[in-house]
Amino acid sequence: YVMAQCLEFEEVGRQLKDADAISDLAKFGKIVKESSYLPFTSSADALENASNLAEGKISSRLRHFLEESLPASKKSFVLGVQDKSLASSITAELEYACDTSERVLELGRGIRTHAEKLLSGYLKKGDIQRGQLGLGHNYSKSKVKFSAERSDTMAMQAINLLDMLDKDINTFTMRVREWYSWHFPELAKIIGDNAQYSQLVPVIRDKNSLSESSLDSLTQVTGDEKKSQEIIEAAHTSMGSAISELDMIDITQFANRVVELIKFRKKLHDYLVNKMENVAPNLAALLGEVVSARLISHAGGLRNLSKYPASTLQILGAEKALFRALKTKSATPKFGLFYHSTFIGSAGFKSKGKISRFLANKCSIASRIDCFSDLPTSKFGEASSPLKNYEVMRQVISEIQQETLQKTAEESDQMAIDVVEPVKEGTEGERVKEGTKDKTKKRKPKSSVVESSKKKMKIDKEPVEETVKESSKKNAKKELHDNKSAEQKDSVKKDKGNKEIKTEGKPKDKESKAKNKETKTEGKSKDKGLRRKIKTEGKSKDEKSKTEGKVKDKREQDER
């Protein structure tokens, strides 16, 4: 840190070219005077202070330097600071009046240009340049620190190279077809795959040399004897022109290069699949490795992708269509790079917009989990049950916790097994014999263990069986006693009923007829009332079911 005192400064003269006092050391020495200087103790100290200054924070070292070098009365001076965020934090914490105008920037530029001569008493020649170089390297390393396995830049470069290879392979295979079709045009109709066509060109070479002996070499490439037989028959009746040996050498070399490119493309795809398992496993489980890598490269990194909301993530890759729709006031696009996903490809035309919106919501959550999680897991993306987001997350977190507990238990068991017992002195043969003897003594046969366990079970069962027998006997006695008392009561009631019937006699006929009429009229009225109630209850149930169905549909729409 350097503190300089501004003696005088021309506001009008600094705009003229002739009156540039900052580039001239003699004139600049009259404007600025060095007052105090505080060097850093080490490179780590310099890096810590530089990172704090970049974030606009005041370190303890800077605070101590300002308090010692500035006067006690805060109103007697104005502190010039180049960074506005640092100036605001100084005024907030230390209550110093700060200036961030253009003259402060000009004075700072002059101090940097003449720093070696102004600080000649403290530093040697080249110290400032070496310090700037070392601090710049350390600062850039601290900002670019990342895990080598979870680096999204490698996945971005791989997907960009994969797209370029796809375009190049298509153009090269079309060139091979056009070039070789002058000699053998019927081959392009028989074989439609570009990779097989480019592999067959160096195998066939001259069509006149084909015979039944070359059937095996053709089937190794095509994998079908019928196709290879068709190629041989077409070669005998071909209408192509003859080609010289030099031209054939060029065609075969170019075809071999195309085959090598196709093999390299397969290896690169496998590398991308393995890389995405570490970089963004949940996003790859939802969309696939290729589509998720394209999303990351289009966003500029996994961290930028995790900051995007679901609405912008849905339209990534369709920016031109979006702005065209906004200008013409037409319908906006429903999906961008999501169009290559299997979910949208298998959906109907009407439901593609809903599925893309739903998929964008899930992908935004998956990208945030992949970016900010410590351990990469694909269980959040593989959860296919139709549940809410927080329910799925709760289940997966519980599963991960159980797995970690199991791993720790297994590691502890292995540590206990790996404990080595002390060995007695002697030859190696004696040690082996002693070890086998000890093991035979300690181990018991399985039959003895089973018999001992059976004996324990018998001993435990005997008192339980005795208690069960005693309780069953008591319950049987109680049941017999209750049955006898119930029979006695029934006999007493029957005797009383017979006596009452004898004394009362027969009822009158008129009263019985009137009662029968009343019961009939009551039955009819009850039937009518029940029918009305059933009708009203059916209507109310239908209305309730309709309202419940509407409410469920609204809830499902809100959840989607």
Side-chain angles (χ1 to χ4, degrees), residues 438-452:
D438 293 333
K439 287 180 181 177
T440 53
K441 287 179 182 179
K442 288 178 182 178
R443 290 180 182 175
K444 290 181 180 180
K446 291 183 179 179
S447 60
S448 63
V449 175
V450 173
E451 287 176 359
S452 62

Side-chain angles (χ1 to χ4, degrees), residues 276-516:
M276 288 301 293
E277 288 179 358
N278 293 321
V279 175
N282 295 302
L283 196 64
L286 281 172
L287 296 174
E289 289 81 7
V290 177
V291 180
S292 57
R294 279 178 188 152
L295 277 173
I296 290 167
S297 66
H298 193 81
L302 184 61
R303 189 175 290 273
N304 293 331
L305 187 68
S306 64
K307 291 176 184 177
Y308 288 161
S311 59
T312 56
L313 200 143
Q314 183 183 353
I315 309 169
L316 274 179
E319 288 84 2
K320 290 182 181 179
L322 176 65
F323 292 122
R324 194 189 308 119
L326 292 172
K327 283 181 181 179
T328 58
K329 294 182 181 179
S330 59
T332 56
K334 294 178 181 178
F335 37 76
L337 293 170
F338 284 160
Y339 183 76
H340 301 286
S341 177
T342 55
F343 293 104
I344 293 169
S346 62
F349 181 74
K350 292 182 179 178
S351 58
K352 280 185 178 180
K354 293 180 182 179
I355 290 169
S356 66
R357 201 182 308 119
F358 184 77
L359 190 62
N361 184 10
K362 301 297 179 186
C363 288
S364 65
I365 296 167
S367 63
R368 287 162 194 168
I369 292 168
D370 291 331
C371 182
F372 299 108
S373 62
D374 294 329
L375 296 171
T377 56
S378 61
K379 290 186 177 180
F380 293 97
E382 291 173 356
S384 60
S385 56
L387 299 172
K388 293 182 179 179
N389 292 330
Y390 67 91
E391 291 177 355
V392 173
M393 288 173 154
R394 194 182 295 165
Q395 287 180 3
V396 174
I397 288 164
S398 63
E399 289 176 1
I400 291 166
Q401 288 176 355
Q402 288 177 1
E403 286 182 357
T404 51
L405 290 171
Q406 288 178 359
K407 286 180 181 179
T408 53
E410 288 175 358
E411 288 176 357
S412 63
D413 293 335
Q414 288 178 358
M415 291 290 288
I417 291 164
D418 293 335
V419 174
V420 180
E421 293 181 355
V423 182
K424 294 179 181 179
E425 294 181 355
T427 61
E428 293 180 355
E430 291 175 356
R431 289 174 186 172
V432 173
K433 288 178 182 178
E434 287 175 1
T436 53
K437 286 178 182 179
D438 293 333
K439 287 180 181 177
T440 53
K441 287 179 182 179
K442 288 178 182 178
R443 290 180 182 175
K444 290 181 180 180
K446 291 183 179 179
S447 60
S448 63
V449 175
V450 173
E451 287 176 359
S452 62
S453 62
K454 286 181 180 179
K455 287 178 182 179
K456 288 181 181 179
M457 291 292 288
K458 287 179 182 179
I459 292 162
D460 295 332
K461 284 181 180 179
E462 286 175 358
V464 175
E465 289 176 354
E466 290 177 357
T467 53
V468 170
K469 287 179 182 179
E470 290 177 358
S471 62
S472 62
K473 286 179 182 180
K474 289 180 182 179
N475 291 324
K477 288 179 181 179
K478 286 182 181 179
E479 287 177 357
L480 290 170
H481 183 71
D482 294 333
N483 290 327
K484 286 180 181 179
S485 61
E487 288 176 357
Q488 289 175 0
K489 288 179 182 179
D490 291 332
S491 62
V492 172
K493 286 180 181 179
K494 286 179 181 178
D495 295 332
K496 289 181 180 179
N498 293 324
K499 289 178 183 179
E500 288 176 355
I501 289 163
K502 288 178 182 179
T503 53
E504 284 178 359
K506 295 180 180 180
K508 293 180 181 180
D509 295 331
K510 292 181 180 180
E511 291 177 357
S512 63
K513 289 178 181 179
K515 287 180 180 179
N516 289 327

Side-chain angles (χ1 to χ4, degrees), residues 182-229:
W182 285 97
H183 178 62
F184 193 7
E186 290 82 8
L187 185 64
K189 295 179 181 178
I190 296 167
I191 290 166
D193 190 10
N194 294 326
Q196 282 187 1
Y197 189 91
S198 56
Q199 285 175 358
L200 282 169
V201 169
V203 173
I204 296 168
R205 290 177 67 86
D206 191 1
K207 64 180 180 180
N208 297 321
S209 64
L210 284 175
S211 62
E212 291 182 357
S213 61
S214 59
L215 186 66
D216 295 332
S217 61
L218 292 173
T219 51
Q220 287 179 1
V221 178
T222 57
D224 191 2
E225 291 184 358
K226 291 181 180 179
K227 280 187 178 181
S228 58
Q229 191 67 36

Side-chain angles (χ1 to χ4, degrees), residues 8 23-24 99 112 128 132 143 155 177-178 181 210 217 228 237 327 357 376 405 437 494 497 545 552 558 560:
E8 59 182 9
S23 60
D24 190 5
D99 185 12
R112 281 197 298 274
I128 292 173
Q132 286 175 351
K143 289 293 180 184
R177 279 176 179 272
E178 289 178 2
S181 61
L210 284 175
S217 61
S228 58
T237 61
K327 283 181 181 179
R357 201 182 308 119
L405 290 171
K437 286 178 182 179
K494 286 179 181 178
S545 63
K552 286 181 180 178
D558 294 333
R560 286 176 185 170

